[in-house]
Structure formats: structure tokens, C-alpha cells
Amino acid sequence: MTRSTRTSALVMLTPAVSLVGVFIFLPMLLTIWLSFQAWSTQTGFGAAQFVGLQNYADLLSPLSVGRDFRQASWNTAVYTLLSVVVILPLSVLLGLMVHQNRVAGGHVLRTILFSTYMVPMIAVALVWSKLYSPNEGPLNQILGWFGVGRQMWLSSPDTALVSVVILNVWQQVGYFTVLVIAGLTQIPVALYEAARIDGANPVQSFFGVTLPLLRRTLLFSAVIAVINAVQVFEPVALITQGGPANSTNVLTYYIRRVGIERAQGGLGSAMAVMLMLALIVVIVALFAFARQGEHEK
Amino acid sequence: MKTGRAISFASTLVGAVFLSGTALAAPVAISYLTHWSPETVAKLEAAAKDFSAANPDVTITVRAVPFGDLLTTIRSQGSSADGPTISSIYDLWLPELVRDKLVEPAPDANAKEVSSAWPEGVASAASVKGKPYGYPNEIDVYALNYNKKLFAEAGIAAPPATWAEFAADAEKITKKDGNRVTRQGFGMINSWAAGVIHPFSSLLVSNGGTLIANGKPTLDTKAAAETFKLYEDFIKKGYTDPTMGTADANTTGPFLDNFVSGNTGMIIMANWWESALKGGMGDKFANIGTAPIPVGPSGDKARSISYSWLTVVNASATAEQRQAAWKFLSWLNGPTSGKGGASAMSDILLSMGILPSRSSDVAAHGKDLNREFLTGYVKTLADAKAFPVVLGGQEFSEALQQVLEGIQYGRLTAEAAQKNAQADATSILERAAK
């Protein structure tokens, strides 16, 4: 690379690198720095006092802040796992159904599926909190027709988190279905014809052609689904407030409670750093898993 | 020459007076943040309109957020001149808002008014280190609310006066269909910190205990152990079904629904719920009785806890905004803004069943305070202990909420809950005091 080429590359890269540095790396570094300080979010950074690893020690302590943090971490992990495990297969199933050209009204179905994603969360929260009502809620009435007993939904710590997952799946599945449909359209029809000539039945075609060629779409969907799930906040803030008995307290909601309501910026930053590290590990693991699959091929 | 100078001086003087007059009369826009319902906000807006009619340079906008978002809104917007100029706050939040310099101390004239026109205890709850930071308005106290119709059906003549009677009445009222509780004797709220800990604290003080004494938590006492045990017993015996006690972001939800629809016999709740009960019950509101908190085995008389709300002014607002805000608050809480010597604020509060705290308001509303529902609260107020207002108070409340919910859902024994609560409180208060 000549000197002039290097200079022009530097000039062209500088604006983008500066923006990334200012708006992404600087806040990240600031959060990491704050996680080692005792700092009220209502005061300037100059008022922060270095406390070493105390904030992290508090998060691992048996006291309320540590117990609540670990509960919120567990709830977030369960919520994320359940959401991804349900959303991805369901979106593939719905994508395959809607993608069939022979199905009449496929476009209408696609629009209906996607429409749930466009409904504002506040409206979803209002409607679903009533649907879930143990006494007058229509969900229990419908289940009653099939002899299923009364469910407590959001009112019991045993079912509240799963109830929020169901709500999330209902709202997000349309978006992921559209992603799957986009992936399906990229698969050449000739491959299916070849498989059919080779004697493959529809199930074999699905596992031999569709699923391998959807790998990249599904990886992208999984990453987005994980990020969306880890960042869950609105349904918790609007419907459950983290209850009952902390059963729906998730990390983003707890960070908001500690960092903003209680103004404990250092402790909130330590939680944010832990969340960020966990997210990095999960995303890297997902990519490694996908890459391993490609190598095995 | 002299005449010219005189004209020049006179014109300068007139100009200066004109300009300063213009500066004083410059339009000022202030905002008022509250968590009240739309109906109550409309009453506050009407009062603000009356103030603006007499003070045409001041425009006041009222903004409401759910209770669950109130503190967050103050914290996230309160350090800017564009944030709410006036905020309605729960007294527990005051020490930390003062520490973080989000609220302005009352100017001398307003501070003197607060010190002289309010009872000493109420004025001190609106003060930090003896300095008033706002106008106290509502005072809330907890009492036992019971459904007289359910009591009559169960053959109970009078509300319980002791914990033994409390448990016996709860047992008689409770109905089950197999293992499922269809009607609970006593309702415990969950998913809302103040809603969870205030009834517990009321039972604790009525059992001779306290939450905090001399800045140290006192949840390791015998009185506290008996109160934790009472909760555990009610859950184990099925007098309370926690799934019937969930609150939502507006602090209502299934807990309120179950009481107003006759699925709950008794609750411990504050007077401000009167409007919610009336709204939910209509004519059946007449079935609701109010009684003092039952006395525990270690208590000497019925006691309760109280807390207050106040309105504070944003320390980051402009000087003009702060001046207009204090003027408005003085008028809103003063004896000329309402009817018959009462303040406009007290008229608004009483429309919700909330007790006003200014001495002249209590005198002016003597007749209103005698209505059946409120009488029980007014009587209880004399023996009420103020909920401790300390640094770290909100975190302390949320930690206690979690252990109490742990008992409610059978995840903690009374002994474990008590141990956790004391350890949490000690750590939280020590850290907050640093």
C-alpha cells in the first residue's frame, strides 16, 4: 500500500471510526469505568468515588441487591431461552405455510402475522393483562371449554414469566416469519426439483435442502431474537413491575430500578457490564456453533 | 443644559422602570408533575386556571404519569430547567432528592408558612435537617377496611380488635372450593413496594414494634418475629391467597378488583383508596367499614403508620420559574384558594378521600372528615407513627417487599424472611448513610 493510498484510506475511514468511537466505544468504556465507582446518577462524573470491585462483590453477595440481581439474571436467561426456542421453529413453520404458492390468501396471512409486530407495546400490555385475568379473562374461559382448570397466568410466580414469554412470542413471531420467508425465496426451486427426482419426500427435502440453506437466515434470526429477548423491558414495566415475588424481574428492568430510581449509577453500571459480557458470550457462541456446522459440511 | 440632563435622567429612569416592569411581567411557563387520575388532574388544572386568571403572566401545565413512573420521571428530567417545575413526591423520596440537589429549599417566606401553618410532625416530614423543601399536602394513614355484608353473613358482629379475633374472622370469611380459595378472609397486596410494606408495618407497630429506631433497623425484635409469623400463618391456613393480591402500575389491579367484588373480606389500606373503592363499588361502597388495626400480642393499643406527600420545586428551573412555582404553591395550599377558608389543594384531596394536613384545612373541612369512611382513619391518625424517612428508604422498602412476597408465595419461612429483612436493612441503611 503506497503512502498516498494509506492517507486516503485514513481520511475516508476517520468519520465512520470517529462516530463509532464517540457513540459506541466511549459510552461502553464510560460504563465500565463507572462500574468501579460509587456514583449517584444525579451528580457529575467528578463526584464518582473509586470503590474497586465493591459493586461486583455486592452483586454476588447474599444481600437483597445480590439476590435480586441473580434472580433477574436467571429470569432473563429463562425468558431468552424460551423465547428463542419457541420463536425460531414457529417462524420456520409459519414461513413454510405462508410461502406455499398454492395456499390461497398467503399474502393476507403474511400481513396478519406481521401486524402483531406493529402493534404498540402499550396496547399489547393493556389487552394481554385483561386476557390473562384469572377470574374474568377470556383465556381461562376458552381453556375451561376444553376442561382445562383455572390458570393463574401473571398472578403466580410459577407462571408469570412464561405468560410474558407467550406475549412476546405472539408479538415477535410475525417479524421472524417474514425473515424466514425472505430466506426461503432465496432457495433455488431447481434444488427441490432435483431432490424430488432423487426420490426425496417433503420431509427429506425440508431437512436436506430447506434447513441447510436457511442456516444464515436462522443465525441472523437467532442473534436478533436473543438481543430482543435480553433487552425485554416494556411488558415487565407495563404489566408486572417485576412481580409477583420477583418472578418477572429481568435485568433491564432491574438496572433501571437501581440506576435511575435509586440513582445508584455505579451499581447499575456493574449490572450493565455483566449483561453486556453475558450477551457477548452468547452471541459469540451462536456464531461459533454456526461456523462449526458449516465446517462439518 | 440642566434641563437637558434632567430630561435625559428622567427618560433613563422611566426606561429603567419600564424595562424592569417588563422583566417582572415576562411570561413564565411552569409545569406540575403528578400521578393523579385524569378526573383529579382536571380539578388541579381548574385551580391552575384560577391562579393564572389572577396572574396572567404565569401559565401552568399539569402532567400526570403512573405512580410507578413518578420517581423515575423526576430523577430523569428533574435536573433540567425543561423538566417539571413542581413535582408531587412521596416523603420517603425527599432525603435522596435533597442529597442529589434536585429540589430547592423553600424560600424564607414559604418556609415560615410551612413551619407555622402545618402540624410540627407533618412539616418535619417535608424538611431535611430542619429546612423545609416543599408544601406538605396529603397525609395518609392505614386502617382495616372490612366488608360489612360478608361479616354479617359469617355471623361476625364487629371488626376484629386483636390478632386472635383477626385470625378467627379471617377463617370464618374464607371460602374454598377444594384447594382453591374462592373468597379470602384477608387480602395482602403484592408487586407494589409501598402497598406491601405499609400494611405489614401497620400490624408491626400495632404489635408494639418499629421498622427503624435511631437510624438502625429493628426487624430482629420479638414484635417483628410475631408479625412475620402472622403473615406466614395466614398464608399456610389459606386465609390469604396471594394470587388474588397482584397490583398493577397504577397500584390497583386484581387486589382492588377482588375486594370491591366481595372476594376479599378484609384489607389494610390507606384512606386515599376511598375514590377507587367508590368507583369500583358504586352503591355497594356503603358495605365498607373502617376500623383500627388489630392489636398484636405484644402491643398495648391499636396503632398504625402514616406517611405524607409534598410538592417540591425543581432546583434547576430558572429563577423566574422557581419564583412563580413557590407563589403558585403558596396560593394553592393557602386559605384563600378554596371554599370557606380551605385551600384548593384540600378540596382536591378530599374529592379522593385523602386527608389534608394544613391545620386550617382540617378545621375548614371538619364536616367532610366526619363522613363514615374517613372517621375511622381520622381516629387512627392520633396513634399513627410516621413511616421512617431515611436515606436509602426506597431501597429498604423494596428489599422488605421482596421478603414479604417470599412469605406470601411460600418461598421463605417467617424465620428466614425476618433474618433476610434485618440483614438487608442493616446493609442498605449503612451504605446509604456513607
Side-chain angles (χ1 to χ4, degrees):
Chain A
M1 190 183 279
T2 63
R3 189 173 181 159
S4 65
T5 316
R6 242 193 334 258
T7 308
S8 59
L10 203 68
V11 168
M12 282 187 279
L13 281 172
T14 300
V17 171
S18 305
L19 283 173
V20 168
V22 169
F23 291 106
I24 296 177
F25 287 110
L26 201 60
M28 280 168 73
L29 290 173
L30 192 61
T31 305
I32 293 168
W33 177 74
L34 285 171
S35 73
F36 299 108
Q37 315 289 325
W39 173 64
S40 165
T41 49
Q42 303 301 325
T43 57
F45 292 134
Q49 289 180 321
F50 182 72
V51 291
L53 292 169
Q54 186 57 49
N55 290 327
Y56 292 95
D58 284 349
L59 297 184
L60 302 174
S61 75
L63 296 170
S64 64
V65 66
R67 290 198 308 273
D68 290 351
F69 173 73
R70 288 192 294 279
Q71 178 74 48
S73 303
W74 172 253
N75 291 341
T76 306
V78 172
Y79 178 90
T80 303
L81 188 70
L82 286 177
S83 295
V84 175
V85 163
V86 176
I87 284 176
L88 288 189
L90 198 58
S91 62
V92 172
L93 187 71
L94 290 170
L96 286 171
M97 281 169 60
V98 175
H99 188 59
Q100 297 296 322
N101 292 331
R102 284 167 290 180
V103 176
H107 289 293
V108 177
L109 194 58
R110 205 176 303 183
T111 309
I112 292 170
L113 276 171
F114 193 70
S115 65
T116 60
Y117 188 69
M118 296 188 292
V119 180
M121 192 61 212
I122 182 67
V124 175
L126 280 172
V127 172
W128 279 81
S129 58
K130 287 297 167 198
L131 291 178
Y132 276 142
S133 171
N135 295 328
E136 305 91 21
L139 282 181
N140 270 355
Q141 289 179 10
I142 293 167
L143 290 176
W145 298 339
F146 300 99
V148 179
R150 182 167 168 262
Q151 302 299 310
M152 297 318 301
W153 302 114
L154 297 165
S155 298
S156 164
D158 298 328
T159 52
L161 189 64
V162 174
S163 305
V164 182
V165 170
I166 294 172
L167 184 157
N168 180 49
V169 169
W170 175 83
Q171 198 184 28
Q172 302 263 333
V173 77
Y175 170 72
F176 289 98
T177 302
V178 170
L179 290 184
V180 168
I181 294 167
L184 288 171
T185 57
Q186 301 300 311
I187 301 174
V189 181
L191 290 178
Y192 289 106
E193 284 170 1
R196 202 176 64 240
I197 291 164
D198 287 346
N201 62 29
V203 175
Q204 287 169 323
S205 283
F206 173 74
F207 285 105
V209 178
T210 310
L211 214 48
L213 292 174
L214 270 181
R215 181 183 294 274
R216 286 178 189 280
T217 303
L218 289 178
L219 175 64
F220 175 75
S221 295
V223 169
I224 298 296
V226 166
I227 292 170
N228 283 353
V230 167
Q231 290 179 347
V232 57
F233 177 80
E234 288 168 307
V236 173
L238 292 169
I239 306 176
T240 65
Q241 318 285 297
N246 242 352
S247 60
T248 59
N249 189 16
V250 289
L251 276 173
T252 50
Y253 185 74
Y254 192 51
I255 291 171
R256 174 251 205 190
R257 177 171 276 178
V258 171
I260 300 178
E261 270 185 32
R262 297 183 195 159
Q264 295 170 343
L267 206 52
S269 297
M271 292 180 193
V273 170
M274 299 278 266
L275 175 63
M276 186 172 70
L277 290 176
L279 198 54
I280 288 170
V281 168
V282 171
I283 300 298
V284 168
L286 267 176
F287 275 100
F289 178 70
R291 199 166 293 159
Q292 194 183 21
E294 278 180 9
H295 287 316
E296 280 170 6
K297 279 175 74 185
Chain B
M1 193 69 180
K2 271 187 180 177
T3 313
R5 275 186 192 164
I7 290 169
S8 169
F9 176 73
S11 57
T12 307
L13 192 67
V14 168
V17 169
F18 177 75
L19 281 174
S20 67
T22 308
L24 281 176
V28 181
I30 61 174
S31 57
Y32 190 124
L33 178 71
T34 177
H35 64 294
W36 288 340
S37 68
E39 298 79 32
T40 314
V41 165
K43 291 186 174 94
L44 179 59
E45 284 173 335
K49 205 173 165 188
D50 288 347
F51 178 80
S52 292
N55 299 270
D57 303 318
V58 181
T59 52
I60 303 161
T61 51
V62 182
R63 187 180 154 210
V65 294
F67 170 77
D69 294 333
L70 186 59
L71 181 57
T72 311
T73 308
I74 295 167
R75 281 214 170 275
S76 56
Q77 299 175 13
S79 54
S80 148
D82 296 327
T85 322
I86 298 169
S87 297
S88 180
I89 66 160
Y90 173 26
D91 59 11
L92 189 67
W93 302 338
L94 183 64
E96 286 171 35
L97 295 179
V98 169
R99 180 199 63 193
D100 295 337
K101 298 183 176 64
L102 286 175
V103 294
E104 180 186 58
D108 287 346
N110 303 81
K112 274 181 194 158
E113 186 187 0
V114 170
S115 302
S116 60
W118 270 264
E120 195 184 338
V122 179
S124 70
S127 309
V128 172
K129 293 179 181 166
K131 199 186 283 183
Y133 276 81
Y135 276 84
N137 43 60
E138 68 176 88
I139 186 153
D140 297 279
V141 63
Y142 277 73
L144 185 82
N145 290 147
Y146 63 102
N147 189 317
K148 289 188 268 189
K149 193 176 167 220
L150 299 185
F151 267 57
E153 281 173 16
I156 308 167
T162 63
W163 282 13
E165 291 175 13
F166 183 35
D169 293 351
E171 185 180 10
K172 285 179 193 165
I173 292 165
T174 300
K175 274 190 177 173
K176 292 181 184 174
D177 178 10
N179 283 332
R180 185 188 154 206
V181 175
T182 55
R183 192 169 76 192
Q184 59 176 350
F186 175 63
M188 292 178 193
I189 203 164
N190 63 68
S191 304
W192 163 33
V196 174
I197 64 162
H198 286 165
F200 172 85
S201 310
S202 300
L203 286 162
L204 174 63
V205 295
S206 211
N207 191 35
T210 53
L211 288 171
I212 296 171
N214 302 319
K216 307 273 183 204
T218 49
L219 289 163
D220 54 353
T221 59
K222 179 174 170 258
E226 288 167 347
T227 316
F228 282 110
K229 188 78 175 57
L230 178 79
Y231 265 52
E232 188 181 46
D233 286 347
F234 270 51
I235 294 293
K236 279 188 173 170
K237 291 174 181 169
Y239 305 161
T240 296
D241 180 356
T243 61
M244 297 169 82
T246 313
D248 62 18
N250 285 319
T251 66
T252 53
F255 178 70
L256 173 71
D257 298 344
N258 279 305
F259 187 61
V260 300
S261 55
N263 294 327
T264 302
M266 296 176 275
I267 57 172
I268 291 177
M269 191 32 84
N271 43 285
W272 62 265
W273 254 37
E274 186 188 31
S275 56
L277 293 176
K278 277 181 177 169
M281 299 183 84
D283 294 342
K284 289 182 181 169
F285 176 71
N287 289 335
I288 301 304
T290 308
I293 304 291
V295 184
S298 300
D300 57 349
K301 65 190 294 193
R303 296 185 191 278
S304 183
I305 59 130
S306 67
Y307 64 92
S308 54
W309 278 71
L310 61 149
T311 34
V312 291
V313 174
N314 181 353
S316 300
T318 64
E320 291 77 18
Q321 284 178 316
R322 282 182 277 131
Q323 191 182 359
W326 286 114
K327 190 177 178 187
F328 172 62
L329 287 178
S330 177
W331 174 85
L332 182 70
N333 293 282
T336 57
S337 56
K339 294 167 195 159
S343 67
M345 174 59 87
S346 68
D347 292 338
I348 295 170
L349 295 176
L350 270 160
S351 73
M352 293 184 279
I354 295 174
L355 308 177
S357 55
R358 185 177 173 127
S359 304
S360 57
D361 285 333
V362 175
H365 284 290
K367 202 176 162 188
D368 296 318
L369 296 174
N370 276 334
R371 62 179 188 245
E372 192 189 344
F373 182 82
L374 287 184
T375 309
Y377 285 101
V378 175
K379 279 182 193 163
T380 306
L381 197 54
D383 290 312
K385 287 186 177 182
F387 191 85
V389 176
V390 290
L391 272 171
Q394 183 64 21
E395 187 179 357
F396 166 79
S397 298
E398 287 165 5
L400 185 54
Q401 174 201 0
Q402 293 309 328
V403 296
L404 290 172
E405 290 188 3
I407 297 179
Q408 289 183 25
Y409 286 99
R411 296 180 167 195
L412 282 177
T413 62
E415 291 77 20
Q418 185 183 16
K419 199 178 157 193
N420 281 352
Q422 178 68 12
D424 291 343
T426 304
S427 152
I428 290 164
L429 296 183
E430 277 177 6
R431 199 171 49 198
K434 279 181 189 169

